[in-house]
PDB file of all heavy atoms in Angstrom:
ATOM      1  N   ARG W   1     142.635  -6.187 261.037  1.00  0.00           N
ATOM      2  CA  ARG W   1     142.148  -6.709 262.315  1.00  0.00           C
ATOM      3  C   ARG W   1     140.628  -6.837 262.249  1.00  0.00           C
ATOM      4  O   ARG W   1     139.937  -5.921 261.810  1.00  0.00           O
ATOM      5  CB  ARG W   1     142.560  -5.771 263.453  1.00  0.00           C
ATOM      6  CG  ARG W   1     142.233  -6.268 264.857  1.00  0.00           C
ATOM      7  CD  ARG W   1     142.726  -5.246 265.876  1.00  0.00           C
ATOM      8  NE  ARG W   1     142.436  -5.621 267.242  1.00  0.00           N
ATOM      9  CZ  ARG W   1     143.236  -6.351 268.014  1.00  0.00           C
ATOM     10  NH1 ARG W   1     144.403  -6.773 267.524  1.00  0.00           N
ATOM     11  NH2 ARG W   1     142.908  -6.645 269.255  1.00  0.00           N
ATOM     12  N   LEU W   2     140.109  -7.996 262.674  1.00  0.00           N
ATOM     13  CA  LEU W   2     138.670  -8.251 262.658  1.00  0.00           C
ATOM     14  C   LEU W   2     138.272  -8.967 263.942  1.00  0.00           C
ATOM     15  O   LEU W   2     138.873  -9.984 264.303  1.00  0.00           O
ATOM     16  CB  LEU W   2     138.298  -9.136 261.454  1.00  0.00           C
ATOM     17  CG  LEU W   2     136.852  -9.647 261.393  1.00  0.00           C
ATOM     18  CD1 LEU W   2     135.881  -8.495 261.189  1.00  0.00           C
ATOM     19  CD2 LEU W   2     136.690 -10.681 260.289  1.00  0.00           C
ATOM     20  N   THR W   3     137.269  -8.441 264.635  1.00  0.00           N
ATOM     21  CA  THR W   3     136.735  -9.086 265.834  1.00  0.00           C
ATOM     22  C   THR W   3     135.289  -9.486 265.576  1.00  0.00           C
ATOM     23  O   THR W   3     134.484  -8.672 265.108  1.00  0.00           O
ATOM     24  CB  THR W   3     136.808  -8.149 267.057  1.00  0.00           C
ATOM     25  OG1 THR W   3     138.179  -7.846 267.334  1.00  0.00           O
ATOM     26  CG2 THR W   3     136.197  -8.820 268.293  1.00  0.00           C
ATOM     27  N   ALA W   4     134.959 -10.734 265.858  1.00  0.00           N
ATOM     28  CA  ALA W   4     133.607 -11.248 265.620  1.00  0.00           C
ATOM     29  C   ALA W   4     133.309 -12.333 266.641  1.00  0.00           C
ATOM     30  O   ALA W   4     134.216 -12.999 267.160  1.00  0.00           O
ATOM     31  CB  ALA W   4     133.485 -11.800 264.203  1.00  0.00           C
ATOM     32  N   THR W   5     132.022 -12.516 266.928  1.00  0.00           N
ATOM     33  CA  THR W   5     131.597 -13.503 267.923  1.00  0.00           C
ATOM     34  C   THR W   5     130.783 -14.616 267.267  1.00  0.00           C
ATOM     35  O   THR W   5     129.864 -14.342 266.484  1.00  0.00           O
ATOM     36  CB  THR W   5     130.751 -12.841 269.032  1.00  0.00           C
ATOM     37  OG1 THR W   5     131.555 -11.874 269.708  1.00  0.00           O
ATOM     38  CG2 THR W   5     130.258 -13.880 270.038  1.00  0.00           C
ATOM     39  N   ALA W   6     131.133 -15.839 267.586  1.00  0.00           N
ATOM     40  CA  ALA W   6     130.408 -17.015 267.109  1.00  0.00           C
ATOM     41  C   ALA W   6     129.580 -17.589 268.258  1.00  0.00           C
ATOM     42  O   ALA W   6     130.002 -17.573 269.410  1.00  0.00           O
ATOM     43  CB  ALA W   6     131.377 -18.070 266.589  1.00  0.00           C
ATOM     44  N   VAL W   7     128.410 -18.098 267.922  1.00  0.00           N
ATOM     45  CA  VAL W   7     127.487 -18.668 268.909  1.00  0.00           C
ATOM     46  C   VAL W   7     127.280 -20.141 268.576  1.00  0.00           C
ATOM     47  O   VAL W   7     126.903 -20.476 267.450  1.00  0.00           O
ATOM     48  CB  VAL W   7     126.133 -17.935 268.903  1.00  0.00           C
ATOM     49  CG1 VAL W   7     125.194 -18.548 269.939  1.00  0.00           C
ATOM     50  CG2 VAL W   7     126.317 -16.441 269.142  1.00  0.00           C
ATOM     51  N   HIS W   8     127.543 -21.015 269.549  1.00  0.00           N
ATOM     52  CA  HIS W   8     127.293 -22.451 269.369  1.00  0.00           C
ATOM     53  C   HIS W   8     126.338 -22.917 270.456  1.00  0.00           C
ATOM     54  O   HIS W   8     126.679 -22.889 271.645  1.00  0.00           O
ATOM     55  CB  HIS W   8     128.598 -23.246 269.450  1.00  0.00           C
ATOM     56  CG  HIS W   8     129.512 -23.000 268.298  1.00  0.00           C
ATOM     57  ND1 HIS W   8     130.474 -22.020 268.308  1.00  0.00           N
ATOM     58  CD2 HIS W   8     129.605 -23.602 267.085  1.00  0.00           C
ATOM     59  CE1 HIS W   8     131.127 -22.036 267.164  1.00  0.00           C
ATOM     60  NE2 HIS W   8     130.621 -22.982 266.411  1.00  0.00           N
ATOM     61  N   HIS W   9     125.154 -23.319 270.048  1.00  0.00           N
ATOM     62  CA  HIS W   9     124.183 -23.844 271.001  1.00  0.00           C
ATOM     63  C   HIS W   9     124.574 -25.260 271.401  1.00  0.00           C
ATOM     64  O   HIS W   9     124.995 -26.065 270.567  1.00  0.00           O
ATOM     65  CB  HIS W   9     122.785 -23.808 270.390  1.00  0.00           C
ATOM     66  CG  HIS W   9     122.285 -22.410 270.183  1.00  0.00           C
ATOM     67  ND1 HIS W   9     121.673 -21.682 271.178  1.00  0.00           N
ATOM     68  CD2 HIS W   9     122.362 -21.592 269.106  1.00  0.00           C
ATOM     69  CE1 HIS W   9     121.365 -20.477 270.720  1.00  0.00           C
ATOM     70  NE2 HIS W   9     121.771 -20.396 269.470  1.00  0.00           N
ATOM     71  N   VAL W  10     124.450 -25.554 272.673  1.00  0.00           N
ATOM     72  CA  VAL W  10     124.926 -26.810 273.244  1.00  0.00           C
ATOM     73  C   VAL W  10     123.730 -27.742 273.472  1.00  0.00           C
ATOM     74  O   VAL W  10     122.724 -27.339 274.063  1.00  0.00           O
ATOM     75  CB  VAL W  10     125.667 -26.549 274.566  1.00  0.00           C
ATOM     76  CG1 VAL W  10     126.071 -27.861 275.226  1.00  0.00           C
ATOM     77  CG2 VAL W  10     126.900 -25.675 274.309  1.00  0.00           C
ATOM     78  N   TYR W  11     123.857 -28.980 273.014  1.00  0.00           N
ATOM     79  CA  TYR W  11     122.832 -30.004 273.196  1.00  0.00           C
ATOM     80  C   TYR W  11     123.485 -31.249 273.771  1.00  0.00           C
ATOM     81  O   TYR W  11     124.635 -31.555 273.460  1.00  0.00           O
ATOM     82  CB  TYR W  11     122.169 -30.372 271.859  1.00  0.00           C
ATOM     83  CG  TYR W  11     121.548 -29.214 271.127  1.00  0.00           C
ATOM     84  CD1 TYR W  11     122.275 -28.504 270.173  1.00  0.00           C
ATOM     85  CD2 TYR W  11     120.244 -28.815 271.390  1.00  0.00           C
ATOM     86  CE1 TYR W  11     121.715 -27.430 269.496  1.00  0.00           C
ATOM     87  CE2 TYR W  11     119.673 -27.743 270.720  1.00  0.00           C
ATOM     88  CZ  TYR W  11     120.412 -27.050 269.782  1.00  0.00           C
ATOM     89  OH  TYR W  11     119.860 -25.987 269.118  1.00  0.00           O
ATOM     90  N   THR W  12     122.746 -31.981 274.591  1.00  0.00           N
ATOM     91  CA  THR W  12     123.254 -33.275 275.018  1.00  0.00           C
ATOM     92  C   THR W  12     123.208 -34.246 273.840  1.00  0.00           C
ATOM     93  O   THR W  12     122.462 -34.047 272.874  1.00  0.00           O
ATOM     94  CB  THR W  12     122.422 -33.860 276.167  1.00  0.00           C
ATOM     95  OG1 THR W  12     121.098 -34.144 275.684  1.00  0.00           O
ATOM     96  CG2 THR W  12     122.349 -32.900 277.353  1.00  0.00           C
ATOM     97  N   SER W  13     123.993 -35.296 273.926  1.00  0.00           N
ATOM     98  CA  SER W  13     123.963 -36.299 272.867  1.00  0.00           C
ATOM     99  C   SER W  13     122.588 -36.965 272.797  1.00  0.00           C
ATOM    100  O   SER W  13     122.117 -37.320 271.707  1.00  0.00           O
ATOM    101  CB  SER W  13     125.055 -37.345 273.088  1.00  0.00           C
ATOM    102  OG  SER W  13     124.929 -37.944 274.360  1.00  0.00           O
ATOM    103  N   GLY W  14     121.929 -37.097 273.950  1.00  0.00           N
ATOM    104  CA  GLY W  14     120.574 -37.649 273.955  1.00  0.00           C
ATOM    105  C   GLY W  14     119.589 -36.754 273.231  1.00  0.00           C
ATOM    106  O   GLY W  14     118.717 -37.228 272.496  1.00  0.00           O
ATOM    107  N   HIS W  15     119.711 -35.450 273.454  1.00  0.00           N
ATOM    108  CA  HIS W  15     118.837 -34.495 272.762  1.00  0.00           C
ATOM    109  C   HIS W  15     119.079 -34.530 271.267  1.00  0.00           C
ATOM    110  O   HIS W  15     118.128 -34.463 270.474  1.00  0.00           O
ATOM    111  CB  HIS W  15     119.076 -33.090 273.316  1.00  0.00           C
ATOM    112  CG  HIS W  15     118.071 -32.072 272.864  1.00  0.00           C
ATOM    113  ND1 HIS W  15     118.207 -30.734 273.110  1.00  0.00           N
ATOM    114  CD2 HIS W  15     116.920 -32.201 272.151  1.00  0.00           C
ATOM    115  CE1 HIS W  15     117.187 -30.079 272.585  1.00  0.00           C
ATOM    116  NE2 HIS W  15     116.388 -30.947 271.996  1.00  0.00           N
ATOM    117  N   LEU W  16     120.335 -34.656 270.866  1.00  0.00           N
ATOM    118  CA  LEU W  16     120.643 -34.770 269.442  1.00  0.00           C
ATOM    119  C   LEU W  16     119.927 -35.968 268.834  1.00  0.00           C
ATOM    120  O   LEU W  16     119.310 -35.869 267.762  1.00  0.00           O
ATOM    121  CB  LEU W  16     122.153 -34.901 269.250  1.00  0.00           C
ATOM    122  CG  LEU W  16     122.639 -35.204 267.829  1.00  0.00           C
ATOM    123  CD1 LEU W  16     122.283 -34.080 266.877  1.00  0.00           C
ATOM    124  CD2 LEU W  16     124.142 -35.461 267.807  1.00  0.00           C
ATOM    125  N   GLY W  17     119.987 -37.106 269.509  1.00  0.00           N
ATOM    126  CA  GLY W  17     119.301 -38.292 269.014  1.00  0.00           C
ATOM    127  C   GLY W  17     117.799 -38.082 268.911  1.00  0.00           C
ATOM    128  O   GLY W  17     117.164 -38.510 267.936  1.00  0.00           O
ATOM    129  N   GLU W  18     117.219 -37.402 269.893  1.00  0.00           N
ATOM    130  CA  GLU W  18     115.782 -37.123 269.857  1.00  0.00           C
ATOM    131  C   GLU W  18     115.420 -36.230 268.676  1.00  0.00           C
ATOM    132  O   GLU W  18     114.408 -36.452 267.995  1.00  0.00           O
ATOM    133  CB  GLU W  18     115.357 -36.447 271.162  1.00  0.00           C
ATOM    134  CG  GLU W  18     115.396 -37.359 272.377  1.00  0.00           C
ATOM    135  CD  GLU W  18     115.110 -36.597 273.663  1.00  0.00           C
ATOM    136  OE1 GLU W  18     114.802 -35.373 273.579  1.00  0.00           O
ATOM    137  OE2 GLU W  18     115.193 -37.206 274.739  1.00  0.00           O
ATOM    138  N   LEU W  19     116.247 -35.214 268.414  1.00  0.00           N
ATOM    139  CA  LEU W  19     116.001 -34.325 267.276  1.00  0.00           C
ATOM    140  C   LEU W  19     116.008 -35.097 265.962  1.00  0.00           C
ATOM    141  O   LEU W  19     115.151 -34.880 265.097  1.00  0.00           O
ATOM    142  CB  LEU W  19     117.068 -33.233 267.237  1.00  0.00           C
ATOM    143  CG  LEU W  19     116.918 -32.048 268.178  1.00  0.00           C
ATOM    144  CD1 LEU W  19     118.208 -31.236 268.213  1.00  0.00           C
ATOM    145  CD2 LEU W  19     115.763 -31.153 267.731  1.00  0.00           C
ATOM    146  N   LEU W  20     116.976 -35.987 265.821  1.00  0.00           N
ATOM    147  CA  LEU W  20     117.079 -36.745 264.578  1.00  0.00           C
ATOM    148  C   LEU W  20     115.902 -37.706 264.414  1.00  0.00           C
ATOM    149  O   LEU W  20     115.306 -37.796 263.331  1.00  0.00           O
ATOM    150  CB  LEU W  20     118.403 -37.505 264.540  1.00  0.00           C
ATOM    151  CG  LEU W  20     119.666 -36.635 264.515  1.00  0.00           C
ATOM    152  CD1 LEU W  20     120.913 -37.507 264.506  1.00  0.00           C
ATOM    153  CD2 LEU W  20     119.672 -35.687 263.330  1.00  0.00           C
ATOM    154  N   ARG W  21     115.556 -38.409 265.481  1.00  0.00           N
ATOM    155  CA  ARG W  21     114.438 -39.348 265.376  1.00  0.00           C
ATOM    156  C   ARG W  21     113.119 -38.622 265.126  1.00  0.00           C
ATOM    157  O   ARG W  21     112.290 -39.082 264.326  1.00  0.00           O
ATOM    158  CB  ARG W  21     114.370 -40.213 266.632  1.00  0.00           C
ATOM    159  CG  ARG W  21     115.451 -41.296 266.678  1.00  0.00           C
ATOM    160  CD  ARG W  21     115.277 -42.219 267.862  1.00  0.00           C
ATOM    161  NE  ARG W  21     115.720 -41.573 269.085  1.00  0.00           N
ATOM    162  CZ  ARG W  21     116.965 -41.629 269.561  1.00  0.00           C
ATOM    163  NH1 ARG W  21     117.898 -42.296 268.903  1.00  0.00           N
ATOM    164  NH2 ARG W  21     117.285 -41.024 270.685  1.00  0.00           N
ATOM    165  N   ALA W  22     112.917 -37.483 265.774  1.00  0.00           N
ATOM    166  CA  ALA W  22     111.693 -36.707 265.560  1.00  0.00           C
ATOM    167  C   ALA W  22     111.636 -36.133 264.146  1.00  0.00           C
ATOM    168  O   ALA W  22     110.547 -35.890 263.611  1.00  0.00           O
ATOM    169  CB  ALA W  22     111.601 -35.576 266.580  1.00  0.00           C
ATOM    170  N   GLY W  23     112.807 -35.937 263.533  1.00  0.00           N
ATOM    171  CA  GLY W  23     112.861 -35.372 262.188  1.00  0.00           C
ATOM    172  C   GLY W  23     112.777 -36.394 261.076  1.00  0.00           C
ATOM    173  O   GLY W  23     112.922 -36.025 259.893  1.00  0.00           O
ATOM    174  N   GLY W  24     112.583 -37.660 261.403  1.00  0.00           N
ATOM    175  CA  GLY W  24     112.392 -38.674 260.373  1.00  0.00           C
ATOM    176  C   GLY W  24     113.552 -39.623 260.181  1.00  0.00           C
ATOM    177  O   GLY W  24     113.634 -40.311 259.160  1.00  0.00           O
ATOM    178  N   PHE W  25     114.448 -39.709 261.192  1.00  0.00           N
ATOM    179  CA  PHE W  25     115.626 -40.569 261.068  1.00  0.00           C
ATOM    180  C   PHE W  25     115.572 -41.746 262.035  1.00  0.00           C
ATOM    181  O   PHE W  25     114.904 -41.693 263.073  1.00  0.00           O
ATOM    182  CB  PHE W  25     116.906 -39.754 261.304  1.00  0.00           C
ATOM    183  CG  PHE W  25     117.176 -38.748 260.228  1.00  0.00           C
ATOM    184  CD1 PHE W  25     116.739 -37.442 260.349  1.00  0.00           C
ATOM    185  CD2 PHE W  25     117.844 -39.127 259.069  1.00  0.00           C
ATOM    186  CE1 PHE W  25     116.976 -36.519 259.344  1.00  0.00           C
ATOM    187  CE2 PHE W  25     118.078 -38.214 258.055  1.00  0.00           C
ATOM    188  CZ  PHE W  25     117.647 -36.902 258.187  1.00  0.00           C
ATOM    189  N   ALA W  26     116.294 -42.784 261.687  1.00  0.00           N
ATOM    190  CA  ALA W  26     116.393 -43.983 262.508  1.00  0.00           C
ATOM    191  C   ALA W  26     117.854 -44.422 262.555  1.00  0.00           C
ATOM    192  O   ALA W  26     118.712 -43.855 261.883  1.00  0.00           O
ATOM    193  CB  ALA W  26     115.520 -45.105 261.934  1.00  0.00           C
ATOM    194  N   ASP W  27     118.122 -45.461 263.352  1.00  0.00           N
ATOM    195  CA  ASP W  27     119.465 -46.041 263.446  1.00  0.00           C
ATOM    196  C   ASP W  27     120.524 -44.989 263.784  1.00  0.00           C
ATOM    197  O   ASP W  27     121.593 -44.917 263.168  1.00  0.00           O
ATOM    198  CB  ASP W  27     119.849 -46.759 262.135  1.00  0.00           C
ATOM    199  CG  ASP W  27     118.903 -47.892 261.794  1.00  0.00           C
ATOM    200  OD1 ASP W  27     118.295 -48.450 262.724  1.00  0.00           O
ATOM    201  OD2 ASP W  27     118.761 -48.198 260.601  1.00  0.00           O
ATOM    202  N   VAL W  28     120.223 -44.146 264.782  1.00  0.00           N
ATOM    203  CA  VAL W  28     121.147 -43.096 265.195  1.00  0.00           C
ATOM    204  C   VAL W  28     122.321 -43.721 265.935  1.00  0.00           C
ATOM    205  O   VAL W  28     122.142 -44.488 266.892  1.00  0.00           O
ATOM    206  CB  VAL W  28     120.439 -42.071 266.099  1.00  0.00           C
ATOM    207  CG1 VAL W  28     121.425 -41.002 266.577  1.00  0.00           C
ATOM    208  CG2 VAL W  28     119.265 -41.435 265.357  1.00  0.00           C
ATOM    209  N   GLU W  29     123.533 -43.424 265.482  1.00  0.00           N
ATOM    210  CA  GLU W  29     124.746 -43.910 266.134  1.00  0.00           C
ATOM    211  C   GLU W  29     125.662 -42.737 266.451  1.00  0.00           C
ATOM    212  O   GLU W  29     125.709 -41.751 265.702  1.00  0.00           O
ATOM    213  CB  GLU W  29     125.482 -44.913 265.245  1.00  0.00           C
ATOM    214  CG  GLU W  29     124.739 -46.206 265.015  1.00  0.00           C
ATOM    215  CD  GLU W  29     125.596 -47.222 264.274  1.00  0.00           C
ATOM    216  OE1 GLU W  29     126.418 -47.907 264.927  1.00  0.00           O
ATOM    217  OE2 GLU W  29     125.449 -47.308 263.047  1.00  0.00           O
ATOM    218  N   LEU W  30     126.419 -42.852 267.551  1.00  0.00           N
ATOM    219  CA  LEU W  30     127.302 -41.792 268.016  1.00  0.00           C
ATOM    220  C   LEU W  30     128.734 -42.303 268.066  1.00  0.00           C
ATOM    221  O   LEU W  30     129.001 -43.381 268.594  1.00  0.00           O
ATOM    222  CB  LEU W  30     126.885 -41.317 269.412  1.00  0.00           C
ATOM    223  CG  LEU W  30     125.421 -40.925 269.615  1.00  0.00           C
ATOM    224  CD1 LEU W  30     125.187 -40.518 271.066  1.00  0.00           C
ATOM    225  CD2 LEU W  30     125.018 -39.804 268.671  1.00  0.00           C
ATOM    226  N   PHE W  31     129.660 -41.493 267.534  1.00  0.00           N
ATOM    227  CA  PHE W  31     131.078 -41.856 267.505  1.00  0.00           C
ATOM    228  C   PHE W  31     131.915 -40.690 268.027  1.00  0.00           C
ATOM    229  O   PHE W  31     131.535 -39.524 267.907  1.00  0.00           O
ATOM    230  CB  PHE W  31     131.512 -42.206 266.082  1.00  0.00           C
ATOM    231  CG  PHE W  31     130.706 -43.298 265.445  1.00  0.00           C
ATOM    232  CD1 PHE W  31     129.599 -42.989 264.666  1.00  0.00           C
ATOM    233  CD2 PHE W  31     131.038 -44.629 265.641  1.00  0.00           C
ATOM    234  CE1 PHE W  31     128.838 -43.996 264.080  1.00  0.00           C
ATOM    235  CE2 PHE W  31     130.281 -45.642 265.067  1.00  0.00           C
ATOM    236  CZ  PHE W  31     129.182 -45.327 264.284  1.00  0.00           C
ATOM    237  N   GLY W  32     133.066 -41.021 268.583  1.00  0.00           N
ATOM    238  CA  GLY W  32     133.953 -40.005 269.128  1.00  0.00           C
ATOM    239  C   GLY W  32     134.910 -39.421 268.112  1.00  0.00           C
ATOM    240  O   GLY W  32     135.721 -38.554 268.451  1.00  0.00           O
ATOM    241  N   GLY W  33     134.839 -39.851 266.861  1.00  0.00           N
ATOM    242  CA  GLY W  33     135.716 -39.334 265.817  1.00  0.00           C
ATOM    243  C   GLY W  33     135.625 -40.184 264.579  1.00  0.00           C
ATOM    244  O   GLY W  33     134.932 -41.217 264.559  1.00  0.00           O
ATOM    245  N   PRO W  34     136.332 -39.807 263.512  1.00  0.00           N
ATOM    246  CA  PRO W  34     136.247 -40.556 262.254  1.00  0.00           C
ATOM    247  C   PRO W  34     136.875 -41.935 262.302  1.00  0.00           C
ATOM    248  O   PRO W  34     136.694 -42.728 261.369  1.00  0.00           O
ATOM    249  CB  PRO W  34     136.992 -39.648 261.259  1.00  0.00           C
ATOM    250  CG  PRO W  34     137.890 -38.817 262.098  1.00  0.00           C
ATOM    251  CD  PRO W  34     137.173 -38.609 263.388  1.00  0.00           C
ATOM    252  N   ASP W  35     137.582 -42.262 263.383  1.00  0.00           N
ATOM    253  CA  ASP W  35     138.119 -43.613 263.517  1.00  0.00           C
ATOM    254  C   ASP W  35     137.070 -44.603 263.997  1.00  0.00           C
ATOM    255  O   ASP W  35     137.347 -45.804 264.120  1.00  0.00           O
ATOM    256  CB  ASP W  35     139.327 -43.629 264.457  1.00  0.00           C
ATOM    257  CG  ASP W  35     138.983 -43.154 265.872  1.00  0.00           C
ATOM    258  OD1 ASP W  35     137.829 -42.722 266.114  1.00  0.00           O
ATOM    259  OD2 ASP W  35     139.879 -43.195 266.738  1.00  0.00           O
ATOM    260  N   GLY W  36     135.849 -44.103 264.277  1.00  0.00           N
ATOM    261  CA  GLY W  36     134.759 -44.979 264.699  1.00  0.00           C
ATOM    262  C   GLY W  36     134.756 -45.324 266.169  1.00  0.00           C
ATOM    263  O   GLY W  36     133.959 -46.168 266.607  1.00  0.00           O
ATOM    264  N   ALA W  37     135.601 -44.675 266.972  1.00  0.00           N
ATOM    265  CA  ALA W  37     135.620 -44.935 268.416  1.00  0.00           C
ATOM    266  C   ALA W  37     134.287 -44.522 269.030  1.00  0.00           C
ATOM    267  O   ALA W  37     133.637 -43.588 268.553  1.00  0.00           O
ATOM    268  CB  ALA W  37     136.763 -44.155 269.069  1.00  0.00           C
ATOM    269  N   PRO W  38     133.862 -45.193 270.099  1.00  0.00           N
ATOM    270  CA  PRO W  38     132.596 -44.831 270.735  1.00  0.00           C
ATOM    271  C   PRO W  38     132.650 -43.409 271.297  1.00  0.00           C
ATOM    272  O   PRO W  38     133.705 -42.936 271.723  1.00  0.00           O
ATOM    273  CB  PRO W  38     132.455 -45.861 271.865  1.00  0.00           C
ATOM    274  CG  PRO W  38     133.375 -46.977 271.509  1.00  0.00           C
ATOM    275  CD  PRO W  38     134.499 -46.355 270.742  1.00  0.00           C
ATOM    276  N   TYR W  39     131.507 -42.732 271.275  1.00  0.00           N
ATOM    277  CA  TYR W  39     131.415 -41.419 271.900  1.00  0.00           C
ATOM    278  C   TYR W  39     131.237 -41.602 273.399  1.00  0.00           C
ATOM    279  O   TYR W  39     130.350 -42.338 273.842  1.00  0.00           O
ATOM    280  CB  TYR W  39     130.229 -40.640 271.323  1.00  0.00           C
ATOM    281  CG  TYR W  39     130.114 -39.248 271.910  1.00  0.00           C
ATOM    282  CD1 TYR W  39     131.044 -38.260 271.590  1.00  0.00           C
ATOM    283  CD2 TYR W  39     129.090 -38.923 272.786  1.00  0.00           C
ATOM    284  CE1 TYR W  39     130.950 -36.987 272.125  1.00  0.00           C
ATOM    285  CE2 TYR W  39     128.986 -37.650 273.327  1.00  0.00           C
ATOM    286  CZ  TYR W  39     129.922 -36.676 272.993  1.00  0.00           C
ATOM    287  OH  TYR W  39     129.831 -35.415 273.534  1.00  0.00           O
ATOM    288  N   THR W  40     132.081 -40.956 274.186  1.00  0.00           N
ATOM    289  CA  THR W  40     132.033 -41.085 275.638  1.00  0.00           C
ATOM    290  C   THR W  40     132.121 -39.708 276.276  1.00  0.00           C
ATOM    291  O   THR W  40     132.424 -38.700 275.623  1.00  0.00           O
ATOM    292  CB  THR W  40     133.200 -41.947 276.153  1.00  0.00           C
ATOM    293  OG1 THR W  40     134.445 -41.323 275.793  1.00  0.00           O
ATOM    294  CG2 THR W  40     133.154 -43.355 275.567  1.00  0.00           C
ATOM    295  N   LEU W  41     131.856 -39.640 277.565  1.00  0.00           N
ATOM    296  CA  LEU W  41     131.955 -38.394 278.302  1.00  0.00           C
ATOM    297  C   LEU W  41     133.371 -37.833 278.166  1.00  0.00           C
ATOM    298  O   LEU W  41     134.354 -38.521 278.442  1.00  0.00           O
ATOM    299  CB  LEU W  41     131.631 -38.639 279.772  1.00  0.00           C
ATOM    300  CG  LEU W  41     131.531 -37.403 280.670  1.00  0.00           C
ATOM    301  CD1 LEU W  41     130.347 -36.536 280.252  1.00  0.00           C
ATOM    302  CD2 LEU W  41     131.397 -37.810 282.129  1.00  0.00           C
ATOM    303  N   GLY W  42     133.464 -36.581 277.719  1.00  0.00           N
ATOM    304  CA  GLY W  42     134.758 -35.951 277.526  1.00  0.00           C
ATOM    305  C   GLY W  42     135.337 -36.074 276.131  1.00  0.00           C
ATOM    306  O   GLY W  42     136.377 -35.471 275.851  1.00  0.00           O
ATOM    307  N   SER W  43     134.707 -36.846 275.243  1.00  0.00           N
ATOM    308  CA  SER W  43     135.178 -36.904 273.854  1.00  0.00           C
ATOM    309  C   SER W  43     135.161 -35.505 273.260  1.00  0.00           C
ATOM    310  O   SER W  43     134.194 -34.755 273.430  1.00  0.00           O
ATOM    311  CB  SER W  43     134.290 -37.818 273.008  1.00  0.00           C
ATOM    312  OG  SER W  43     134.386 -39.166 273.411  1.00  0.00           O
ATOM    313  N   GLY W  44     136.211 -35.138 272.548  1.00  0.00           N
ATOM    314  CA  GLY W  44     136.305 -33.791 272.015  1.00  0.00           C
ATOM    315  C   GLY W  44     135.419 -33.520 270.825  1.00  0.00           C
ATOM    316  O   GLY W  44     135.225 -32.366 270.438  1.00  0.00           O
TER     317      GLY W  44
END
């Protein structure tokens, strides 16, 4: 038996884009999964 806690910091998709652009990236695109569907509110 093993009990452990994981921590996941939550960012908005807009904040994610800002982090990437500030870090030297361009052409940021967001998808809702590997099928290439658009990322929308509630996408898992």
Side-chain angles (χ1 to χ4, degrees):
R1 186 179 179 89
L2 172 66
T3 297
T5 298
V7 180
H8 291 91
H9 293 276
V10 175
Y11 303 93
T12 65
S13 56
H15 190 189
L16 173 63
E18 290 174 4
L19 280 168
L20 296 179
R21 285 186 284 270
F25 292 93
D27 300 334
V28 178
E29 294 187 82
L30 308 178
F31 304 93
D35 61 355
Y39 182 71
T40 61
L41 187 66
S43 294

